Amino acid sequence: MVKKELSMQKLNKQIDILLDIIVESLLGAKSEEEAAALTLWPIPVPQGMLYFSDVWTKKLNRVLHLIEKRKIKSKEILKAIRFPSRIVQFLWLDAITFNNLSKKEKLYPIAKFLIFLSLFRKKDIFCENGKNILWNKKELEKHKRGLHFFSGKGKNLNKLISTFEAILWSYTELLYWTNHPFGHGFHGSYSIREGDLVVKEYFDLKPKAWSFSQGLNFSEVEIFEIYKRNTSSKIKLEFFERNIRTNQSIKQDLEKFALKVNGKIVKKPEEISQFLENLMEVIKKGSEIIQALNEQQLIEKYADYYFYAIKPLCDLVKENWHPPKQVRNNIYKKYKEINAVWEKVVKKNFEKTADLSYKQQEKILKEAFDPRN
Amino acid sequence: MPKQEIILKGIPASAGIAKGKVKIILDPSENSKMKKGDILVTEMTNPLFLPAIQRAKAIITDVGGLLCHAAIVSRELGIPCVVGTKRATKILKDNQKIKVDGEKGTIYQDN
């Protein structure tokens, strides 16, 4: 009993910290007189969530309970998830909280995700020192072994890697929209002999939910960047793996970089140019497809990839990851009804917050995102 | 040197200074309007604006903060960016010559 109370106390404390981070991020990510979450492309998060967050959270509960019941080891769970940014994204709490499910159904997945994240991040869940450390020394050595480093000092190579990363990052946004961390994760900085190392992993770049993505010649990219020692004062990765505390580009301090594409070490700059060219072609095609979708189709896609993001967990217990029929029904048969809730209630409430003071907005958002309410 | 007049202010999202001609792009279908070295002015960017972004010398948006698409991509590309100006697309005009200071978040007339 005492143990249960202590773990509840711990969870409450962690949720309080999480709410601080979420609200600070939401309010810091917008300019004044702008309602948080309404300017997101291509549809506002709360709008999409209205159609599937309860179904999704229920499914998640079932899958996590099955994992627990079948006593699947943590090591296997982490191996299946592979990239913690996937679960970090769920800890925005929007899908888990924006529904009428019970407190128990909301808190269970949050508690589980925080445990997984603690294991991934070597117990430092909230990246308190501005570092997101996933690899110990041994793991770091293993990943660095055999890498071919290019100099980051020359203008041409620096520009090539900068452009590749900007386009790659945008591509994950094209695939997963506001949930782009379903396709990338950043960690570090690791203090190594040559300087400060930041690792950028891009994955799931060819999800089946998007036919256009199948034209891409690669599905995973790992980028290793070594910056001048002490640049780390500018590299501060926070909970959501973003370097948000600066408006400075750190690329001028890039000493060297290396890449692995589909696990293969890249040895020539021309290869990067070819990847970039292929990426641009796929983006062009994808942009055309997305632009042609109507609102219902956009919401359907949103649901598809949100369910797809829990596929690694579903696979562990051999569950079908696809959204159940109910989601399509909500989107196509109950569209008018649900859209009216969005237009007349939720959107209006969000819009009203734009005129309020920071303190007032903070209070409203914390209440809205709190799974304990 | 005479003090330059600030014509617009916003959130400094990516440091650096750039001069160029304004190109207002309100929809990705207008991406081809952008010529290399122009300054992209839009409400907010998303991946559909990539062809325009790649040609841009700087980016200015009406909405957004330090975490928006324009801010992140311009920091990666190392080009100046000012976001959350609220009215850049209304105040600035196509082909107007301006100077963007991404460190201070200010936009000047450049004669």
Side-chain angles (χ1 to χ4, degrees), chain A residues 223-269:
Chain A
I223 303 174
F224 300 78
E225 294 179 335
I226 300 177
Y227 290 91
K228 272 182 202 162
R229 177 86 61 215
N230 297 328
T231 313
S232 60
S233 58
K234 291 186 209 163
I235 307 168
K236 281 197 169 134
L237 293 185
E238 45 77 90
F239 179 80
F240 290 112
E241 304 186 355
R242 299 165 311 189
N243 191 27
I244 60 168
R245 296 174 213 291
T246 177
N247 64 355
Q248 304 293 318
S249 170
I250 54 171
K251 279 292 193 292
Q252 70 263 26
D253 295 321
L254 183 64
E255 290 279 307
K256 47 186 182 173
F257 64 93
L259 289 95
K260 278 188 207 171
V261 174
N262 283 351
K264 204 179 146 215
I265 295 164
V266 174
K267 293 189 175 159
K268 292 177 190 162

Side-chain angles (χ1 to χ4, degrees), chain A residues 151-201:
Chain A
S151 170
K153 291 177 193 165
K155 202 180 163 192
N156 291 345
L157 280 178
N158 190 300
K159 197 176 174 204
L160 180 63
I161 189 66
S162 304
T163 307
F164 186 51
E165 282 191 51
I167 307 294
L168 203 47
W169 189 91
S170 293
Y171 177 65
T172 59
E173 192 170 342
L174 188 78
L175 292 176
Y176 300 111
W177 307 346
T178 185
N179 293 301
H180 43 83
F182 288 163
H184 66 67
F186 304 150
H187 52 106
S189 60
Y190 300 92
S191 186
I192 59 170
R193 194 172 38 85
E194 305 99 308
D196 294 319
L197 170 74
V198 177
V199 182
K200 299 177 175 180
E201 296 177 289

Side-chain angles (χ1 to χ4, degrees), chain A residues 34 39 41 244 247 249 251, chain B residues 15 44 46 64 67 69 75-76:
Chain A
E34 198 181 291
T39 55
W41 176 84
I244 60 168
N247 64 355
S249 170
K251 279 292 193 292
Chain B
M44 63 184 280
N46 61 52
L67 300 175
H69 180 263
R75 283 200 294 272
E76 274 301 335

Side-chain angles (χ1 to χ4, degrees), chain A residues 28-35 38-41, chain B residues 8-11 13 41-46 59-71 81-90:
Chain A
K30 65 180 194 69
S31 51
E32 287 170 38
E33 297 169 28
E34 198 181 291
L38 290 188
T39 55
L40 297 169
W41 176 84
Chain B
L8 199 58
K9 270 186 112 170
I11 300 167
V41 178
T42 183
E43 286 171 350
M44 63 184 280
T45 66
N46 61 52
I59 302 174
I60 303 169
T61 70
D62 287 348
V63 299
L66 280 178
L67 300 175
C68 71
H69 180 263
C81 178
V82 179
V83 298
T85 61
K86 296 172 201 167
R87 53 209 171 103
T89 56
K90 308 272 183 313

